[in-house]
Amino acid sequence: MVTTASSRVESLASSGLKSIPKEYIRPQEELTSIGNVFEEEKKVEGPQVPTIDLKEIDSGDKEVREKCRQELKKAAMEWGVMHLVNHGISDELMERVRQAGQKFFELPIEEKEKYANDQASGKIQGYGSKLANNASGQLEWEDYFFHLVYPEDKRDLSIWPKTPSDYVEVTSEYARQLRGLASKILSALSLCLGLEEGRLEKEVGGLEELLLQMKINYYPKCPQPELALGVEAHTDVSALTFILHNMVPGLQLFYEGKWITAKCVPNSIIMHIGDTIEILSNGKFKSILHRGLVNKEKVRISWAVFCEPPKEKIILKPLPETLSETEPPKFPPRTFAQHIQHKLFRKAEDGQSN
């Protein structure tokens, strides 16, 4: 089924409708926890997503370096999500990435449709919106653009936006630099688990096989934001996910039984630990449940880059070094593809039981 301009959330949002179609309305049990995201972001009481300063992660001073690693370890174990600052990617490059994506989404919908994906035929890269293929038939208040951005020899540049003209150059440079940051984080997390520095990198595919997939999420203004979600609650299947956004709040994390709204931290990159690292660490590092709220005043855009292991080549299971007599494996061995299928199957079962 090829979607049409009329099935885009942006079309709905710009049509002047006052109430949203029922497919976008969340189930009653979810509605009680959806608040005004701007009010939620202002809250100063209660837990806050940690900010990790990476400036000293490679310091020549062993103690300084170790202190930085311990902060990263604590955030990975307790939260599984954090704001990274002094991450080594320039503000200028991040701003160019944001501008390029924003300009693409400012194109008329008819222009964007030239890049439409076709999920039914397995063509998942390109411009899209969620189809009602989940068990509850629910839709999310977002359109997106999805494409593999690294390794460079695995990209399909024919489906990348031609407008703006610097899109390919800027996105490619950002992907290269993010890949370096991913290596740095994986090295530090390996050492935090008492492993050799290169171990986690190797376990998720190394330079040749770890795939970086970028999804630009475009959340139009929503006339009834208290009834909808931009992205429903989920954990990321990736090893790591890196997120840029346009400084409009929306990300919420399910922490200690409550939804916590992430603050907008200037020049930061949000990083999630994904299921893949949670499995390899036998649950020592967390893959946190999260979701995206929408609002009626401002368009929100986020740039998520998922660092994913190859689908079939690697068996994901807790590393022997993370196990002991008192800590048996919490996860059975599965390929990455099997893990994704297992999650979809469980979700379908949950949907039927609701």
Side-chain angles (χ1 to χ4, degrees):
M1 167 185 148
V2 177
T3 43
T4 59
S6 62
S7 56
R8 301 300 176 202
V9 177
E10 185 188 350
S11 294
L12 270 180
S14 57
S15 69
L17 84 175
K18 297 286 183 280
S19 54
I20 62 175
K22 66 178 189 325
E23 310 88 85
Y24 292 93
I25 298 175
R26 305 308 301 177
Q28 190 55 47
E29 65 273 13
E30 271 187 276
L31 293 177
T32 54
S33 69
I34 299 176
N36 178 310
V37 72
F38 297 110
E39 296 303 315
E40 297 285 338
E41 198 217 2
K42 287 188 193 125
K43 288 184 180 168
V44 286
E45 74 281 1
Q48 303 290 341
V49 176
T51 296
I52 303 299
D53 188 338
L54 291 179
K55 188 156 141 255
E56 307 293 0
I57 196 101
D58 294 325
S59 167
D61 182 325
K62 189 173 174 228
E63 272 182 39
V64 172
R65 195 170 64 231
E66 192 50 37
K67 183 171 179 288
C68 181
R69 274 194 210 126
Q70 286 307 316
E71 285 169 8
L72 176 69
K73 179 182 183 178
K74 186 171 187 280
M77 291 178 81
E78 291 178 11
W79 281 85
V81 64
M82 59 207 79
H83 300 284
L84 301 178
V85 296
N86 290 317
H87 39 66
I89 297 177
S90 74
D91 300 350
E92 185 215 4
L93 178 58
M94 293 194 298
E95 186 49 36
R96 288 181 72 199
V97 170
R98 284 192 281 254
Q99 287 293 328
Q102 194 172 322
K103 281 182 183 144
F104 172 75
F105 273 97
E106 283 167 357
L107 292 172
I109 291 183
E110 296 65 42
E111 261 317 291
K112 294 193 287 265
E113 287 299 341
K114 294 175 183 169
Y115 300 92
N117 64 8
D118 181 11
Q119 293 169 43
S121 68
K123 182 179 172 256
I124 57 168
Q125 295 196 75
Y127 174 60
S129 309
K130 182 166 182 180
L131 306 178
N133 57 357
N134 58 348
S136 58
Q138 287 232 272
L139 295 174
E140 296 165 320
W141 196 262
E142 71 151 347
D143 301 321
Y144 62 81
F145 192 93
F146 182 77
H147 53 335
L148 185 151
V149 293
Y150 198 91
E152 295 185 351
D153 61 348
K154 292 187 167 74
R155 302 177 306 179
D156 178 2
L157 291 177
S158 71
I159 60 110
W160 286 38
K162 313 266 185 295
T163 306
S165 56
D166 65 347
Y167 184 92
V168 173
E169 176 204 338
V170 168
T171 306
S172 300
E173 182 54 34
Y174 179 62
R176 274 194 291 276
Q177 293 197 24
L178 260 193
R179 185 62 186 84
L181 179 59
S183 284
K184 196 178 281 195
I185 297 287
L186 290 168
S187 293
L189 291 175
S190 294
L191 294 168
C192 292
L193 287 172
L195 306 168
E196 285 179 21
E197 201 169 351
R199 182 68 180 283
L200 284 176
E201 172 105 42
K202 180 170 147 278
E203 295 289 344
V204 296
L207 274 175
E208 299 296 311
E209 298 288 349
L210 185 70
L211 305 176
L212 271 59
Q213 317 258 20
M214 181 185 275
K215 185 176 178 226
I216 308 176
N217 301 295
Y218 182 85
Y219 307 102
K221 295 176 200 175
C222 179
Q224 294 178 297
E226 70 286 355
L227 299 181
L229 285 176
V231 175
E232 62 189 16
H234 66 286
T235 62
D236 289 355
V237 293
S238 59
L240 301 171
T241 305
F242 295 98
I243 303 169
L244 273 185
H245 56 77
N246 65 338
M247 294 299 282
V248 175
L251 174 65
Q252 287 195 318
L253 302 307
F254 196 65
Y255 182 76
E256 295 185 343
K258 289 195 175 73
W259 286 106
I260 309 292
T261 302
K263 302 271 188 276
C264 292
V265 177
N267 308 324
S268 68
I269 295 176
I270 295 170
M271 185 185 81
H272 283 276
I273 302 282
D275 297 349
T276 297
I277 294 291
E278 181 176 64
I279 292 166
L280 291 169
S281 71
N282 200 34
K284 290 181 173 59
F285 297 146
K286 299 248 180 326
S287 180
I288 196 168
L289 192 68
H290 56 284
R291 68 183 188 183
L293 298 194
V294 290
N295 73 83
K296 52 166 76 165
E297 289 130 65
K298 294 179 177 177
V299 168
R300 180 168 185 261
I301 311 175
S302 69
W303 288 256
V305 176
F306 304 97
C307 304
E308 298 184 350
K311 282 210 158 53
E312 306 289 353
K313 282 190 181 173
I314 292 169
I315 302 292
L316 291 178
K317 61 177 197 280
L319 298 174
E321 294 89 340
T322 65
L323 307 175
S324 66
E325 277 184 29
T326 55
E327 295 177 290
K330 295 178 180 173
F331 306 94
R334 289 190 179 103
T335 63
F336 186 59
Q338 285 167 336
H339 175 66
I340 294 170
Q341 282 310 117
H342 169 71
K343 282 186 86 164
L344 290 172
F345 177 68
R346 269 209 339 236
K347 194 171 163 190
E349 281 195 322
D350 290 348
Q352 282 154 9
S353 63
N354 283 345

